[in-house]
């Protein structure tokens, strides 16, 4: 394998910040930047049939990944897929109810757990890797390509509940910790392989989404969030030591400090509720900080949007910062407000 050494002048902005550089204006990309707020996304999604068919169609998945790059010239592009590709690849039935979100046949006992297997995972993952390969060919060279997966805890919550109800997994973890631990361990293994596969296909950075990291008391947070994430990143970095990792333990509050101590991430994505000065003072001297504009400001627009962008840039601009939202963009966001946001962030 040859390693390309890029000089700081040609290295993409996102990678420079993940390497600890402070850049003004900061690089910008948005979580869920490909999505229903864009009319062209809605058209391609209809053409694909269902959401999962879109994820598994490399040509169309690459097309929707590129749509927001064409419109806004973001500094990074995130592979179009979903965190629930992993349970689907393990043989659990996954589907998306229109207007309601994901549904899975729940994992309720040891038998269900034993039925999960890797037999078909490579076939499913190979479609996603093909999307990554197309993107590396088609993306402008200044645009970084981000791969991703869900963190074991968050993926397990969907697998156990069969939907976005977060109590079932928490209860299962108390009642049958050995069994739940087996599920988490399987998810660590498969996620390492899946992220390594994305990297080998051309992803330059990976982000790990732990949307429900904030649900647990501290002992359980340690056991089911920190420990599996630490293990996942350690194993991935053994295989790909130079690929930066962004963690997103959403809702973890002060737990973000423990997270960056335990997990070898290069950046953390900060959720909307986190204080900017707290992020600056507690996180930014150790890792790059990504975030954290309220996605609703892309519906509101106007002076409230401009004021908050200024606050974020002023508070986080003295250290390594990646401009982003504190959570995914919503379908009601206005594409014009997104354009305005990019202008505001790029104003010097
Ligand atoms: O950010 C991107 O543009 C890349 C693609 C991406 C999607 N989902 C596409 C998607 C990524 C990184 C995700 C992550 C994801 N998926 C998370 C973690 C981040 C978060 O939001 O907390 C979670 C929890 C999921 C699971 C999931 N997928 C849910 C709960 C839903 C339904 C919510 C909704 O908006 O309808 C999805 C569907 C989904 N994933 C959509 C997109 C664009 C909307 C699907 C559609 O077109 O109908």
């Amino acid at each position: 394998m040859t390693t390309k050494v890029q000089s700081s002048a040609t290295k993409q902005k996102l990678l420079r910040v993940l390497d600890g550089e402070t850049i003004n204006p900061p690089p910008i990309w948005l979580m869920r930047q490909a999505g229903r707020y864009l009319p062209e996304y809605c058209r391609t999604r209809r053409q694909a049939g269902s959401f999962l068919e879109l994820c598994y169609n490399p040509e169309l998945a690459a097309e929707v990944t590129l749509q927001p790059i064409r419109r806004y010239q973001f500094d990074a592009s995130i592979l179009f897929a979903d965190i629930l590709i992993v349970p689907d690849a393990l043989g659990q039935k996954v589907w998306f109810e229109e207007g309601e979100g994901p549904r899975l046949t729940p994992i309720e006992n040891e038998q269900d757990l034993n039925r999960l297997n890797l037999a078909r995972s490579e076939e499913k993952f190979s479609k996603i890797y093909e999307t990554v390969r197309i993107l590396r060919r088609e993306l402008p060279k200044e645009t970084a390509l981000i791969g991703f997966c869900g963190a074991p805890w968050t993926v397990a919550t969907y697998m156990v509940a069969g939907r976005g109800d977060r109590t079932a997994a928490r209860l299962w973890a108390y009642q049958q910790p050995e069994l739940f631990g087996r599920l988490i361990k399987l998810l660590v293994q498969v996620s390492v392989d899946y992220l390594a596969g994305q990297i080998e296909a051309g992803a330059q950075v990976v982000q790990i989404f732990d949307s429900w990291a904030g649900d647990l008391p501290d002992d359980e947070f340690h056991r089911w969030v920190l420990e599996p994430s630490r293990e996942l990143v350690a194993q991935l970095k053994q295989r790909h030591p130079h690929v930066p990792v962004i963690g997103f333990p959403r809702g973890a509050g002060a737990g973000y400090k423990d997270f960056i101590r335990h997990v070898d991430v290069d950046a953390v994505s900060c959720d909307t509720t986190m204080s900017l000065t707290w992020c600056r003072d507690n996180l930014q001297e150790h890792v790059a900080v990504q975030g954290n504009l309220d996605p609703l400001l892309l519906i509101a627009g106007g002076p409230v949007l401009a004021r908050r962008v200024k606050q974020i840039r002023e508070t986080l601009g003295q250290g390594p910062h990646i401009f982003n939202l504190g959570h995914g963009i919503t379908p009601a966001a206005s594409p014009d407000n997104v354009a305005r946001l990019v202008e505001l962030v790029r104003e010097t």
Side-chain angles (χ1 to χ4, degrees):
M1 202 179 84
T2 52
T3 351
K4 268 192 232 152
V5 180
Q6 290 182 307
S7 73
S8 151
T10 56
K11 194 167 164 184
Q12 296 149 338
K13 279 185 168 184
L14 181 81
L15 291 172
R16 286 168 54 198
V17 172
L18 289 168
D19 219 15
E21 235 186 280
T22 299
I23 305 184
N24 265 305
I28 174 173
W29 69 279
L30 304 181
M31 291 190 273
R32 290 271 178 100
Q33 61 194 21
R36 284 163 296 180
Y37 74 106
L38 290 178
E40 59 269 36
Y41 169 85
C42 295
R43 278 195 296 275
T44 312
R45 189 182 178 296
R46 271 197 302 276
Q47 195 187 335
S50 67
F51 173 69
L52 273 185
E53 284 172 296
L54 177 54
C55 293
Y56 285 125
N57 181 325
E59 294 293 335
L60 296 184
E63 166 57 24
V64 294
T65 309
L66 291 166
Q67 287 167 349
I69 305 302
R70 290 191 201 113
R71 258 192 199 249
Y72 305 114
Q73 294 81 48
F74 288 120
D75 294 290
S77 159
I78 182 161
L79 162 71
F80 188 85
D82 197 83
I83 66 167
L84 301 178
I85 292 296
V86 165
D88 183 65
L90 289 172
Q92 190 174 10
K93 195 166 157 21
V94 178
W95 70 103
F96 286 80
E97 290 287 341
E98 209 58 55
E100 287 185 40
R103 292 286 182 274
L104 305 86
T105 44
I107 306 289
E108 288 173 328
N109 50 43
E110 188 163 8
Q111 244 178 4
D112 295 342
L113 190 57
N114 291 340
R115 267 199 295 272
L116 298 173
N117 68 81
L118 294 164
R120 289 195 58 208
S121 65
E122 270 314 304
E123 183 191 326
K124 300 243 173 180
F125 289 158
S126 67
K127 307 276 194 228
I128 308 294
Y129 303 154
E130 181 55 24
T131 308
V132 175
R133 276 190 289 270
I134 298 173
L135 287 168
R136 270 315 280 277
R137 264 199 326 266
E138 307 260 322
L139 277 168
K141 63 177 184 327
E142 63 276 15
T143 316
L145 178 56
I146 305 172
F148 74 93
C149 72
W153 163 249
T154 288
V155 176
T157 63
Y158 284 98
M159 292 177 81
V160 172
R163 56 201 299 151
D165 154 38
R166 295 123 66 186
T167 56
R170 208 161 98 225
L171 186 58
W172 217 46
Y174 282 128
Q175 291 174 326
Q176 295 184 290
E178 275 74 34
L179 219 50
F180 188 69
R182 267 182 54 202
L183 174 59
I184 291 288
K185 202 166 166 194
L186 174 67
L187 287 169
V188 170
Q189 292 318 320
V190 67
S191 304
V192 170
D193 287 341
Y194 182 43
L195 289 180
Q198 293 179 32
I199 291 167
E200 284 146 27
Q204 297 163 289
V205 175
V206 295
Q207 176 156 330
I208 301 169
F209 288 86
D210 213 347
S211 305
W212 307 133
D215 283 356
L216 296 172
D218 69 349
D219 52 344
E220 296 285 281
F221 176 73
H222 208 279
R223 185 166 184 184
W224 305 121
V225 171
L226 293 186
E227 208 29 56
S229 301
R230 190 197 58 71
E231 183 65 28
L232 199 175
V233 176
Q235 287 191 35
L236 185 68
K237 288 211 167 175
Q238 247 168 24
R239 279 159 74 169
H240 293 288
H242 304 298
V243 174
V245 177
I246 306 173
F248 185 24
R250 187 163 77 92
Y256 265 80
K257 266 175 89 163
D258 299 314
F259 185 85
I260 62 169
R261 263 203 298 272
H262 275 83
V263 188
D264 185 14
V265 289
D266 302 275
V268 277
S269 204
C270 294
D271 67 67
T272 303
T273 64
M274 293 172 80
S275 138
L276 295 174
T277 50
W278 190 89
C279 294
R280 180 193 64 198
D281 298 342
N282 292 281
L283 306 173
Q284 208 174 21
E285 62 179 287
H286 308 287
V287 293
V289 164
Q290 175 170 279
N292 73 344
L293 187 82
D294 187 345
L296 293 193
L297 285 171
L298 294 175
I299 306 175
V304 276
L305 170 66
R307 189 174 67 224
R308 186 60 181 171
V309 170
K310 188 160 179 276
Q311 277 170 358
I312 294 175
R313 284 199 55 195
E314 277 173 5
T315 313
L316 297 175
Q318 308 303 311
H321 176 220
I322 301 156
F323 202 99
N324 206 316
L325 304 175
H327 195 195
I329 200 165
T330 62
S334 136
D336 291 342
N337 286 336
V338 176
R340 180 72 190 127
L341 168 66
V342 173
E343 256 174 37
L344 288 165
V345 171
R346 292 197 172 142
E347 270 169 13
T348 43

